[in-house]
Amino acid sequence: MRKVLIADDDKLSRKLLQMTLEKAGYEVVAVEEGAAAGRILCEPGAPRLALLDWMMPGLDGPAVIRVVRSQEGTPYVHMILLTSRQSKDDLIAGLEAGADDYLTKPFHPEELRARLHTGERILQLEDKLVEAREEMRFKATHDPLTSLWNRSMIMDILKREVTRAGREREPRSVAVAIGDIDHFKKVNDTYGHAAGDEVLREVASRLTKSVRGYDAVARYGGEEFLIVLHGCEGRLGAERAECIRLAINGTPVQTGAGLISISMSLGVAGANDWEQQNSEQLIHEADLGLYRAKATGRNRVVLAKPSGLLEIQQLKPAEDPVHVR
Amino acid sequence: MRKESKGLDRQELLSRVEHDEDLARELLGIFQSDAAAYRESLRAAVQSGDAAGTRSAAHAFKGMLANLAAGSAAAAAARLEEMAKAEKVDQFADGWKTFEGELETVLEEVGQLLTEAHI
């Protein structure tokens, strides 16, 4: 049901408005003073249509409008001033305060409904524009196949995290993991590209479920994924990467072409291990780790440290990484 | 036969409430019960030469009376409001006298309407 707020200190006028609007199918929130109207209109889930009497004790109609318009990031509210004022200067002042429309009192019910219908049409248009903007924003920042962050967005996230970690000098700063699905070309060649796409989507889903809500996962390109692990030094990052590897390798992927077993090789680098802390270097080091993981048999995690490339696959939790360089 | 209306335009009132007689009766009841307090507040403001108070109370009356299609009384309230806006305190007594007469007529008619089976 469409919700509308009415604010009028005149009980008789309020009652008339309320009954007229309820008969027209609106859910009415009625208040008798401006401060309450301003508060309600700024709350989440507030009515997006409002009829505000110009003259009210405390906050008058234009003042309520200014309060609501000063809020950022809230849905647009279509506000109509109710006024018995008819001078051009008054109407201009009301519209310049941010009113969308005005209605002269005493109002006629049909005119009232027509004005509200106009407001609803404007709100619908506004909703469509916001939806289109959000869709464009999503498309600009996400991979269309997997809905993960895209490459440019994850680079921004990583840069921001590395800068933050450098500024705060946290020992458990940030780690980056690059994962690549092993033998993915063979999946496409054997089962077809549709099955390959299903595998990519399932890997994306397992990656997302394997990390914490505040970590970031992106499709870095092709069958390659990049994960930004917040608050992790290198070793912890590698342990998380190992969890990811197990989640990918643990169960075959159900596709239209049948069950497909897959695995992932991952290279990891932690910002705390490197003196020059920048995102490009971290990615480069993680990439070297990934290259080593591929070269030494795939389906494994390799941590890149200044002292060398360290494999942690098959390690018991308490043991140190095995140096494979 | 129904007495000719002086203070309220019944057809206009019914048109405003889309011929919902119960709602019309409810609005008349609200006016009847609130008018005395508004009247007292306006009278006090007028007598003390309080322009802001007169303007505010006259404005409130103007709105209520206009909603009840009491055109003549609403116009008298509007004139009093204009006097107050222009701070013509010396004209308040005349403005009040005219308005009070119009208000009496409306109140009498409201009382009568509320006793009738149909508006």
Side-chain angles (χ1 to χ4, degrees):
Chain A
M1 191 185 281
R2 299 161 296 171
K3 258 201 289 193
V4 59
L5 176 134
I6 55 178
D8 196 329
D9 59 318
D10 172 4
K11 191 158 98 184
L12 193 151
S13 178
R14 209 164 56 239
K15 182 75 190 175
L16 180 55
L17 277 168
Q18 180 161 4
M19 293 303 288
T20 306
L21 294 175
E22 283 178 355
K23 278 185 206 164
Y26 288 94
E27 181 187 340
V28 176
V29 179
V31 296
E32 58 186 287
E33 41 106 19
R39 192 176 59 248
I40 291 169
L41 289 175
C42 294
E43 285 172 354
R48 298 193 49 209
L49 286 168
L51 288 157
L52 306 166
D53 190 25
W54 185 304
M55 280 184 76
M56 286 184 283
L59 284 188
D60 62 12
V64 174
I65 290 170
R66 278 190 286 270
V67 167
V68 176
R69 293 283 182 251
S70 69
Q71 299 293 308
E72 283 179 15
T74 51
Y76 192 80
V77 182
H78 187 86
M79 291 182 278
I80 302 171
L81 271 177
L82 293 167
T83 177
S84 55
R85 298 173 173 216
Q86 303 210 6
S87 87
K88 198 185 286 179
D89 287 348
D90 283 339
L91 294 178
I92 290 170
L95 293 171
E96 286 194 340
D100 296 287
D101 201 357
Y102 65 90
L103 188 61
T104 307
K105 292 207 290 188
F107 61 87
H108 194 278
E110 283 179 11
E111 186 184 356
L112 171 66
R113 286 193 290 268
R115 302 264 184 179
L116 285 173
H117 287 158
T118 303
E120 284 184 79
R121 280 201 302 276
I122 292 169
L123 288 177
Q124 280 166 7
L125 187 62
E126 205 252 349
D127 287 347
K128 279 185 190 164
L129 285 170
V130 169
E131 198 179 312
R133 186 192 65 195
E134 289 308 310
E135 198 180 317
M136 281 171 66
R137 184 177 290 170
F138 187 87
K139 282 180 179 168
T141 53
H142 289 76
D143 170 58
L145 179 69
T146 61
S147 294
L148 294 175
W149 293 119
N150 63 18
R151 186 184 180 114
S152 93
M153 191 62 198
I154 199 73
M155 291 304 286
D156 286 349
I157 292 171
L158 181 59
K159 269 183 194 156
R160 211 164 45 234
E161 276 305 303
V162 170
T163 305
R164 182 195 58 76
R167 189 176 60 239
E168 295 175 5
R169 298 186 181 282
E170 288 180 20
R172 292 155 64 83
S173 52
V174 59
V176 62
I178 301 179
D180 186 278
I181 302 173
D182 297 325
H183 300 299
F184 185 69
K185 186 176 179 304
K186 203 189 271 180
V187 172
N188 274 336
D189 291 347
T190 310
Y191 301 96
H193 286 276
D197 285 351
E198 287 181 79
V199 167
L200 288 169
R201 278 194 290 267
E202 177 59 21
V203 166
S205 164
R206 292 185 191 182
L207 283 171
T208 307
K209 286 174 189 159
S210 304
V211 299
R212 301 154 302 176
Y214 47 89
D215 292 327
V217 184
R219 186 171 175 209
Y220 197 51
E223 66 271 30
E224 213 167 43
F225 297 85
L226 193 146
I227 304 115
V228 176
L229 298 156
H230 299 259
C232 285
E233 41 76 38
R235 167 62 192 259
L236 190 56
E239 284 174 2
R240 293 202 173 276
E242 178 64 3
C243 295
I244 290 169
R245 187 190 69 77
L246 292 171
I248 301 294
N249 191 224
T251 318
V253 177
Q254 180 72 59
T255 71
L259 283 173
I260 302 175
S261 289
I262 53 162
S263 62
M264 178 174 268
S265 302
L266 295 110
V268 181
N272 64 304
D273 288 331
W274 302 90
E275 261 185 39
Q276 289 288 319
Q277 290 193 352
N278 64 64
S279 52
E280 289 80 9
Q281 187 196 0
L282 271 188
I283 288 175
H284 174 71
E285 300 301 343
D287 223 9
L288 290 178
L290 172 61
Y291 183 80
R292 176 56 59 93
K294 291 281 188 188
T296 52
R298 297 183 174 85
N299 193 20
R300 65 197 60 208
V301 173
V302 172
L303 172 64
K305 288 176 80 77
S307 56
L309 296 166
L310 310 170
E311 187 176 323
I312 68 159
Q313 194 213 5
Q314 299 174 333
L315 273 187
K316 288 176 189 167
E319 289 179 339
D320 282 335
V322 176
H323 195 167
V324 294
R325 181 175 270 176
Chain B
M1 193 175 156
R2 180 175 283 178
K3 207 168 83 176
E4 194 55 42
S5 166
K6 287 182 195 165
L8 294 172
D9 182 336
R10 298 180 187 202
Q11 286 311 311
E12 178 63 25
L13 171 60
L14 285 171
S15 162
R16 287 199 192 293
V17 295
E18 298 178 300
H19 300 278
D20 179 343
E21 288 207 13
D22 289 339
L23 176 56
R25 214 172 278 284
E26 198 172 345
L27 298 180
L28 291 168
I30 290 172
F31 182 73
Q32 193 182 44
S33 64
D34 289 1
Y38 278 102
R39 181 183 190 158
E40 179 50 30
S41 137
L42 179 55
R43 189 195 57 76
V46 163
Q47 284 186 354
S48 63
D50 171 6
T54 300
R55 187 181 171 186
S56 164
H59 177 83
F61 258 126
K62 182 182 75 176
M64 286 190 287
L65 290 162
N67 276 323
L68 293 178
S72 187
R79 282 195 296 277
L80 196 47
E81 184 188 5
E82 282 304 312
M83 285 173 202
K85 190 179 173 187
E87 299 192 343
K88 293 177 178 169
V89 181
D90 56 323
Q91 296 178 11
F92 280 10
D94 284 346
W96 165 251
K97 194 175 168 190
T98 308
F99 172 71
E100 198 175 30
E102 296 285 356
L103 181 62
E104 281 297 342
T105 307
V106 173
L107 282 169
E108 195 180 315
E109 201 165 332
V110 167
Q112 177 65 32
L113 277 174
L114 287 172
T115 62
E116 290 178 9
H118 294 288
I119 289 174

Coordinates of all heavy atoms in Angstrom, one line a residue, chain A residues 7 10 18 72 84 127 130 139 164 185 231-232 237 250 253 282 325:
Chain A
A7 N 1.2 16.4 7.5 CA 1.5 17.2 8.7 C 0.7 18.4 8.7 O 0.8 19.2 7.7 CB 3.0 17.5 8.7
D10 N -3.9 21.6 12.2 CA -5.4 21.8 12.3 C -6.1 20.4 12.2 O -6.0 19.7 11.2 CB -5.8 22.7 11.1 CG -7.3 22.8 10.9 OD1 -8.1 22.2 11.8 OD2 -7.8 23.4 9.9
Q18 N -6.8 12.9 5.9 CA -6.6 11.5 6.2 C -7.7 10.6 5.6 O -7.5 9.6 5.0 CB -6.6 11.3 7.7 CG -6.4 9.8 8.1 CD -5.8 9.6 9.5 OE1 -5.7 10.6 10.3 NE2 -5.6 8.4 9.9
E72 N 21.5 13.2 3.0 CA 22.1 12.6 1.8 C 21.9 11.1 1.8 O 21.9 10.5 2.9 CB 23.6 12.9 1.7 CG 23.8 14.3 1.2 CD 25.2 14.7 1.1 OE1 26.1 13.9 1.1 OE2 25.5 15.9 1.0
S84 N -2.7 28.3 2.1 CA -3.8 29.1 1.7 C -3.2 30.4 1.2 O -3.9 31.4 0.8 CB -4.7 29.4 3.0 OG -3.9 30.0 4.0
D127 N 12.8 6.1 -9.2 CA 13.2 4.7 -8.9 C 13.9 4.0 -10.1 O 14.9 3.3 -9.9 CB 12.0 3.9 -8.4 CG 11.6 4.3 -7.0 OD1 12.3 5.0 -6.4 OD2 10.5 3.9 -6.6
V130 N 17.4 5.4 -10.5 CA 18.3 4.9 -9.5 C 18.7 3.4 -9.8 O 19.8 3.0 -9.7 CB 17.7 5.0 -8.1 CG1 18.5 4.2 -7.0 CG2 17.5 6.4 -7.6
K139 N 27.6 -3.2 -13.1 CA 28.3 -3.7 -14.3 C 29.7 -3.2 -14.4 O 30.6 -3.8 -14.9 CB 27.5 -3.3 -15.5 CG 26.3 -4.3 -15.8 CD 25.6 -3.8 -17.0 CE 24.4 -4.8 -17.2 NZ 23.4 -4.3 -18.2
R164 N 46.4 1.4 3.6 CA 45.9 1.5 5.0 C 46.9 0.7 5.8 O 47.3 1.1 6.9 CB 44.5 0.8 5.0 CG 43.9 0.8 6.4 CD 42.7 -0.1 6.5 NE 43.0 -1.5 6.2 CZ 43.6 -2.3 7.0 NH1 44.1 -1.9 8.1 NH2 43.9 -3.5 6.6
K185 N 41.7 -25.3 -19.5 CA 41.5 -25.4 -21.0 C 40.9 -26.7 -21.3 O 40.1 -26.9 -22.2 CB 42.8 -25.1 -21.7 CG 42.7 -25.1 -23.2 CD 44.1 -24.7 -23.8 CE 44.0 -24.7 -25.4 NZ 43.5 -25.9 -25.9
G231 N 43.6 -8.1 7.1 CA 44.1 -8.4 8.4 C 45.0 -9.6 8.5 O 45.0 -10.3 9.6
C232 N 45.6 -10.1 7.4 CA 46.3 -11.3 7.4 C 47.8 -11.0 7.0 O 48.1 -10.3 6.0 CB 45.8 -12.3 6.3 SG 44.3 -13.1 6.7
G237 N 47.7 -15.7 5.6 CA 47.1 -15.6 4.2 C 47.2 -17.0 3.5 O 46.3 -17.4 2.8
G250 N 37.6 -30.1 -3.1 CA 36.9 -31.1 -2.2 C 35.8 -31.9 -2.9 O 35.6 -33.1 -2.7
V253 N 32.4 -30.6 -9.4 CA 31.4 -29.6 -9.8 C 30.3 -30.2 -10.7 O 30.6 -30.9 -11.6 CB 32.0 -28.4 -10.6 CG1 31.0 -27.4 -11.0 CG2 33.1 -27.7 -9.7
L282 N 53.0 -6.8 -4.6 CA 52.3 -7.9 -4.0 C 51.8 -8.9 -5.0 O 51.9 -10.1 -4.9 CB 51.2 -7.4 -3.1 CG 51.5 -7.1 -1.6 CD1 50.2 -6.8 -0.9 CD2 52.3 -8.2 -0.9
R325 N 62.2 -23.8 -2.8 CA 63.1 -23.2 -3.8 C 64.4 -23.9 -3.9 O 65.0 -24.2 -2.8 CB 63.2 -21.7 -3.5 CG 64.0 -21.0 -4.5 CD 64.1 -19.5 -4.2 NE 63.0 -18.9 -4.9 CZ 62.7 -17.6 -4.8 NH1 63.4 -16.8 -4.1 NH2 61.7 -17.0 -5.5

